[in-house]
Every structure is written in structure tokens, then in C-alpha cells.
Amino acid sequence: MKELLDMNRIPQHIAIIMDGNGRWAMDRGLDRTFGHKAGLDNLEQVTTVCSNLGVKYLTVYAFSIENFNRPAYEVEALMGLVLSFFKMQLFHNNNVSFHVVGDVERLPQSVQDKLRSMVEETAMYDGMAMTIAMPYSSKQELVNVSKTIARKVQNGEMNIDDITEDTISENLWTNWMPDPDLLIRTGGEVRISNYLLWQCAYSEFYFCDCYWPDFSEEELHKAIISYQNRQRRFGKTEAQIEAEAEEEVNNK
Ligand code: IPE
Ligand code: IPE
Ligand code: MG
């Protein structure tokens, strides 16, 4: 599979909805929380593989704000896993910086502290940026952006007519990263469950049935190959895109 990858066209930013942990565990007669543990183990593998491929940004959906509505024991188990799980070696060995996006203040204080210390400890790494979205809701993010901009207008810091697409992007939790090129969802559901709605306006989507703990290096390669076989047109025609590509080759 790997030989089919075009190493010159690796997506710069991959976003992943890591779904299917609970079903993975239940298929094995295990409690759902074992699936979350297996899912985090797999996140380590996928982070290393993406970093080795030269991906610059990997942004994974680990917990939605809606996931707080799950049974308390599952939410607690997940928070406990986050506290105990991440081995800093992963970041040190791969030159990967760690980041969080979301309404972090809704997390238990111990989890906030742990995530903040990971961010600080990896801030000097300039390889891939690995971001965990937790607890994240795209609609909530856009509500916050609306309030921030409305306040600026109210205070006279900004005119309504100066609001542009960039104004929105600059006020998102993700304001420091480019938009995802490829959005992957594992676990068989074909929906985006409130993830990066603004940011994925022109992302390529890839859905697969495989549960997240089983999403292997080979599965990732399949997703990237699918991405590489598409033409991103951004509203233009196929002929225009081909002419632009030709011009680029001629200018080299
Ligand atoms: C994704 O797996 C992880 C979280 C939402 C925290 P799920 O826990 O949703 O697994 P399924 O979809 O029930 O199998
Ligand atoms: C989305 O998965 C959130 C994460 C993967 C963290 P869910 O399993 O919560 O999504 P729905 O509820 O099936 O849409
Ligand atoms: Mg799910």
C-alpha cells in the first residue's frame, strides 16, 4: 500500500474523528472503557505514522461537549485515561508539539493541569503539531466567536463592515492552524458530529467502517491515497485546475 503513496502530496493537515471505541470493546465482550484505552494506544501509533509521513498538523476529536451526556462512569473513565495515558516520549522522540482546542475549562481541574503541562513541555518542538479537541463543539466555538466580534463592535474596536471570513477564522480556537485538507471518520457513521464545521468547508472527507482502535498504518495509507486521487477544485473547473498545475510545472 505504501508504495502507492505520493510522498510529494501528503496532506498538510489531517483531522480525525476517532469513533468506534465502544463498539470495538463490546464486540470483544469488554466494557466500553477498554475501547477508549485501545483507542488512545492507537492514537500513539497514528501520531508517529503521521509525523514520519511529514504531516504538519494532526487534529483529533477525542471528546465532544455532547459526550458529557454519557453515563458518568464512562466520562470519568475517559478523563482518568487522559490523565494516565500520554507518554511524553511520543512527543520527545518525534519532535511533535502537543496542543488542545475546545472549552478546556469544562474539564476537571486535574485534566486541565495535565494538558497544560503537556503543552508547555512540548512547546519547543517544531515538527508536527498534534492537537486534541477536548471538549469540543464547533457550534459552541462559533457562538464564542460571534460574542467576541459583537463585543469588539460594541466597544468601537471594530466596524461591522470590516467583518470578513478572516475575522471569523482569526477568532476560532483553531486560529493558529490551517484548515484541514483531509477529514477522516472511523467507525462507520457518515456524519461530522459538530466537528470543525467552519474549518472543513473545503476539506476532503473520508469515511471508513473500521473502528478507531483498528485504524492501522495501512488504513491511514488508504485514506491518504483516496485523498491523493481526488481533484480539489475550490469552485473552479477541471480544465482550470489542470492548466494551473501545468503552469506550476513550467515555472519550476
Ligand atoms: C469515540 O468512540 C470516542 C468518544 C466519543 C469519546 P465511541 O465511544 O463513540 O465509540 P462507539 O461509537 O460507541 O462505538
Ligand atoms: C464524536 O463521536 C466525537 C468523538 C469521536 C470524540 P460520537 O460517537 O460522540 O458521535 P455521535 O454521537 O455518534 O454522532
Ligand atoms: Mg461513537
Side-chain angles (χ1 to χ4, degrees):
M1 188 60 71
K2 193 167 185 187
E3 56 289 352
L4 297 176
L5 277 181
D6 178 350
M7 294 305 288
N8 295 316
R9 286 173 54 235
I10 297 294
Q12 175 182 222
H13 184 175
I14 300 183
I16 307 183
I17 302 175
M18 308 185 291
D19 195 24
N21 293 346
R23 282 165 285 161
W24 180 92
M26 287 190 320
D27 278 0
R28 286 161 178 74
L30 301 169
D31 186 77
R32 293 174 54 84
T33 54
F34 285 90
H36 297 313
K37 165 78 177 66
L40 282 171
D41 283 337
N42 197 43
L43 177 56
E44 281 209 6
Q45 309 302 324
V46 171
T47 301
T48 307
V49 173
C50 283
S51 157
N52 289 339
L53 284 174
V55 172
K56 291 286 172 229
Y57 301 85
L58 173 67
T59 306
V60 298
Y61 203 4
F63 194 84
S64 66
I65 289 182
E66 291 80 10
N67 287 149
F68 277 120
N69 296 322
R70 290 192 178 191
Y73 94 93
E74 183 170 336
V75 175
E76 278 164 28
L78 253 159
M79 296 299 157
L81 278 171
V82 171
L83 275 182
S84 63
F85 171 73
F86 284 106
K87 297 174 207 79
M88 296 316 290
Q89 246 8 60
L90 171 68
F91 302 96
H92 299 315
N93 293 347
N94 294 290
N95 189 30
V96 167
S97 58
F98 177 81
H99 311 261
V100 193
V101 290
D103 200 349
V104 181
E105 283 170 14
R106 292 193 192 210
L107 295 171
Q109 191 60 49
S110 55
V111 176
Q112 291 185 39
D113 294 345
K114 160 87 180 181
L115 297 177
R116 284 209 183 93
S117 79
M118 288 174 65
V119 170
E120 280 163 24
E121 201 180 323
T122 62
M124 67 289 209
Y125 294 130
D126 61 1
M128 188 176 80
M130 193 276 229
T131 303
I132 188 159
M134 173 175 197
Y136 181 82
S137 147
S138 198
K139 285 190 170 185
Q140 195 58 58
E141 180 179 35
L142 290 166
V143 168
N144 293 350
V145 170
S146 311
K147 287 185 184 170
T148 306
I149 297 173
R151 266 189 213 107
K152 284 188 185 162
V153 172
Q154 197 175 33
N155 297 341
E157 288 170 54
M158 189 170 194
N159 291 319
I160 286 193
D161 292 334
D162 293 337
I163 298 173
T164 62
E165 290 185 12
D166 284 345
T167 319
I168 311 280
S169 296
E170 283 159 12
N171 284 287
L172 294 166
W173 287 316
T174 56
N175 57 5
W176 54 274
M177 55 170 89
D179 288 343
D181 300 296
L182 170 62
L183 172 75
I184 299 171
R185 181 175 189 142
T186 64
E189 311 296 352
V190 185
R191 54 177 175 256
I192 56 174
S193 302
N194 209 357
Y195 194 42
L196 304 176
L197 303 180
W198 175 274
Q199 297 87 334
C200 284
Y202 262 112
S203 305
E204 296 298 327
F205 286 18
Y206 180 87
F207 297 95
C208 65
D209 289 333
C210 155
Y211 295 144
W212 171 250
D214 291 329
F215 188 78
S216 59
E217 179 167 12
E218 169 124 358
E219 293 289 339
L220 178 71
H221 291 165
K222 272 197 233 167
I224 297 177
I225 290 163
S226 165
Y227 165 85
Q228 291 179 336
N229 285 328
R230 304 179 195 185
Q231 187 185 51
R232 301 184 76 187
R233 287 192 284 275
F234 301 98
K236 296 182 182 173
T237 65
E238 192 177 342
Q240 282 178 296
I241 299 294
E242 277 162 13
E244 282 173 12
E246 204 167 308
E247 202 180 309
E248 205 177 303
V249 171
N250 292 341
N251 287 343
K252 269 190 186 161

